[in-house]
Amino acid sequence: MIRFFNKDIKFTLKDKLLLKKWIKEIVISHNYKLGDINIILCDDPSILEINTQFLGHDYYTDIITFDYTENGYINGELYISIDTVRANAEEYNQSFPDELHRVIIHGILHLCGLDDHCDSDIEQMRNAENDALIRLNSMSLK
């Protein structure tokens, strides 16, 4: 089950049903089953607190993923800073929805076992993100 929550922000996520269907398709395409995924949309102060408390990092980020996957079932929590996603969309000249979708699927791909610590992993992650975004765009055109 995929659930969306807001933490310390007022934000309305559009197309939740489409996003849930998309995420499920991506999970299945990576040979996993869907367990429980909580996507928590928050602000910069909240993401900084989580980053400091759990990872020992004293900086803002767009997403923090907690992976509880086991026995082939994807389970996890994605904390996404709407503030940072909005800033990154501007910086990278992307629309806010496109950047938010990229960040969401980035976290899901981490749950599916993809990483982004070295150049080859980063390239594989970007390719998987791009493929997933193409899939989302084709689903929303139907």
Side-chain angles (χ1 to χ4, degrees):
M1 174 181 286
I2 301 166
R3 292 178 293 258
F4 296 96
F5 300 94
N6 286 359
K7 179 184 185 313
D8 300 326
I9 62 165
K10 290 181 181 175
F11 180 78
T12 303
L13 183 64
K14 296 180 179 170
D15 300 318
K16 287 181 188 175
L17 291 177
L18 176 64
L19 293 176
K20 287 178 181 185
K21 182 179 176 187
W22 173 54
I23 291 167
K24 184 175 182 181
E25 283 189 15
I26 298 303
V27 165
I28 291 169
S29 75
H30 282 84
N31 300 313
Y32 285 95
K33 295 176 185 154
L34 186 64
D36 290 317
I37 299 173
N38 293 323
I39 299 173
I40 302 98
L41 307 172
C42 62
D43 60 7
D44 270 351
S46 294
I47 204 97
L48 180 61
E49 180 182 333
I50 294 163
N51 211 9
T52 303
Q53 180 179 353
F54 293 98
L55 301 175
H57 301 156
D58 188 22
Y59 54 81
Y60 299 107
T61 188
D62 51 3
I63 185 169
I64 297 173
T65 304
F66 292 98
D67 188 352
Y68 309 124
T69 298
E70 60 183 8
N71 300 323
Y73 284 87
I74 294 290
N75 297 291
E77 295 177 337
L78 310 180
Y79 288 84
I80 298 173
S81 171
I82 294 301
D83 298 334
T84 299
V85 170
R86 192 168 277 121
N88 286 349
E90 232 176 85
E91 181 178 336
Y92 300 128
N93 200 28
Q94 297 294 312
S95 74
F96 172 77
D98 286 350
E99 186 66 15
L100 179 58
H101 296 152
R102 180 176 296 279
V103 170
I104 289 170
I105 210 61
H106 181 89
I108 296 299
L109 291 168
H110 273 305
L111 297 177
C112 292
L114 275 73
D115 217 336
D116 56 0
H117 292 301
C118 68
D119 288 345
S120 62
D121 289 345
I122 291 169
E123 183 179 352
Q124 183 181 7
M125 176 67 86
R126 291 294 166 263
N127 289 338
E129 288 171 3
N130 290 336
D131 290 346
L133 292 168
I134 290 167
R135 184 179 295 203
L136 175 61
N137 289 333
S138 71
M139 290 171 68
S140 50
L141 294 175
K142 292 180 183 176

